[in-house]
Amino acid sequence: MGNHEQKPVEKLTFTDDGMFQAVLRDPAICAEFVELLLGVRVKSVDYPVLEKAIKPFYTSKGVRLDVYLKDEDKVIDVELQAQPQEALGKRVRYYDAMLDMDCLMKGEDYPDLKESYVLFICKQDPFEYEKDKPFGLPRYTFRNICQENNLVNLDDKSLKVIYNASAYEKEKDEKIRALLRFVQTNEPGTDDFASRLSEIVERLKENEQFKEEYARMNLHDRDLIRETKREAYAEKAIEDAKKLLADGKYTAEEISGLLGIPIESFAEPPQA
């Protein structure tokens, strides 16, 4: 939201940040949602972690996953994108890598890595063959196969599925079509699962605990936005400092005083 105003609880829909995660908090609902869209059996679900943070090293870029769940042999990340995202393919690649890193950090070796699934549900088509000309598929499934012979599968147990809810009418599976329609229009129609999701949304709007959690989440998001802006300003100042130093018109000490940043952030230390 441009002015960072909090959307009123009574106006929230299933696809709004906070509501989506809260609806999928129920492990049974979460498993049914995932099984329908991925076509895999979820044997048992650990309590789905909402907005799970994965940051392997303090110097690396971490991720906050919308919904993260796992069973005996699978790890699954579920993301809902209400707005278009830049470089979606690279985002999916990074999220998948973070799932593996999270497993390996817990002591698992390569053969022990679980099957990895990254599931994105987008309200706009994320793929175009020309500018403003989307492919228009309701579903895009990606596996790693050999270009020279597509019968050769890397067998890395990794799958990425991206749904385009705006093309729900083209989806052949009736249950999935109804769910995508609900995502896109907020109308559950007569579908049983979409109707149950809609009912959960309405109940949560009246739930005092959810209202408190939603308010805290929005405060947290505003804090993150401010922190990101501060980091961006710092990076810009360092870039400007390096340019000024290269021009040779100011000393490093003068630039440090002008921009209010430490010398070591933009200037090489003097050689001994």
Side-chain angles (χ1 to χ4, degrees):
M1 290 167 255
N3 57 3
H4 309 316
E5 289 184 2
Q6 183 174 344
K7 188 173 184 178
V9 169
E10 62 270 16
K11 293 185 179 295
L12 291 177
T13 67
F14 174 66
T15 60
D16 282 310
D17 196 28
M19 180 60 78
F20 175 69
Q21 293 91 333
V23 172
L24 295 191
R25 180 172 292 169
D26 183 322
I29 290 292
C30 192
E32 188 171 354
F33 187 87
V34 167
E35 288 180 348
L36 176 60
L37 293 180
L38 287 181
V40 297
R41 178 83 175 117
V42 179
K43 300 172 186 174
S44 62
V45 179
D46 284 352
Y47 192 85
V49 180
L50 309 181
E51 293 200 331
K52 175 181 173 64
I54 300 177
K55 189 168 183 178
F57 309 105
Y58 74 93
T59 55
S60 66
K61 176 178 175 62
V63 295
R64 278 200 310 159
L65 309 180
D66 279 354
V67 179
Y68 173 89
L69 67 153
K70 58 184 177 180
D71 70 3
E72 299 169 8
D73 56 359
K74 303 179 190 68
V75 288
I76 303 169
D77 167 37
V78 185
E79 303 288 326
L80 192 145
Q81 300 290 333
Q83 301 297 328
Q85 295 292 326
E86 184 180 3
L88 179 65
K90 291 183 178 179
R91 181 184 294 263
V92 171
R93 167 184 161 188
Y94 193 73
Y95 282 24
D96 192 39
M98 288 297 100
L99 294 181
D100 288 342
M101 184 64 71
D102 193 48
C103 288
L104 287 175
M105 288 174 66
K106 292 176 172 58
E108 296 186 15
D109 206 347
Y110 299 122
D112 301 321
L113 283 176
K114 299 177 184 289
E115 295 178 13
S116 171
Y117 296 85
V118 177
L119 170 62
F120 270 69
I121 304 102
C122 303
K123 294 189 72 172
Q124 292 86 25
D125 196 328
F127 301 109
E128 299 176 340
Y129 59 91
E130 290 181 15
K131 183 172 175 56
D132 298 325
K133 293 183 178 180
F135 283 95
L137 296 177
R139 181 188 338 194
Y140 300 91
T141 304
F142 300 92
R143 294 183 186 272
N144 291 321
I145 60 173
C146 177
Q147 289 188 352
E148 288 75 17
N149 186 336
N150 59 18
L151 295 178
V152 180
N153 194 314
L154 189 61
D155 197 30
D156 58 353
K157 307 300 183 186
S158 172
L159 181 71
K160 295 93 171 172
V161 179
I162 300 174
Y163 278 94
N164 164 30
S166 68
Y168 69 86
E169 293 178 333
K170 298 180 182 178
E171 172 57 47
K172 295 179 180 179
D173 185 289
E174 182 180 355
K175 298 290 291 182
I176 295 177
R177 183 169 63 249
L179 178 56
L180 294 181
R181 178 180 181 274
F182 175 55
V183 167
Q184 188 69 15
T185 67
N186 199 41
E187 295 294 334
T190 58
D191 180 72
D192 173 67
F193 186 49
S195 296
R196 281 187 282 134
L197 293 177
S198 182
E199 290 169 3
I200 295 172
V201 169
E202 295 308 312
R203 285 202 303 271
L204 284 170
K205 289 180 184 180
E206 303 299 324
N207 184 283
E208 293 302 321
Q209 182 178 348
F210 170 74
K211 290 179 182 179
E212 293 177 6
E213 291 176 353
Y214 177 66
R216 286 198 300 269
M217 182 196 76
N218 276 271
L219 288 172
H220 177 61
D221 285 351
R222 288 197 287 274
D223 289 341
L224 287 175
I225 290 169
R226 284 193 290 269
E227 181 62 28
T228 299
K229 286 183 176 179
R230 282 196 293 269
E231 291 176 359
Y233 293 151
E235 291 176 4
K236 179 67 166 58
I238 291 171
E239 290 177 8
D240 291 344
K242 290 179 178 178
K243 291 176 183 177
L244 288 171
L245 188 63
D247 288 342
K249 295 179 181 178
Y250 300 93
T251 66
E253 289 77 9
E254 289 171 332
I255 295 170
S256 175
L258 284 169
L259 299 180
I261 57 177
I263 293 175
E264 57 269 22
S265 68
F266 65 89
E268 292 290 335
Q271 297 294 322

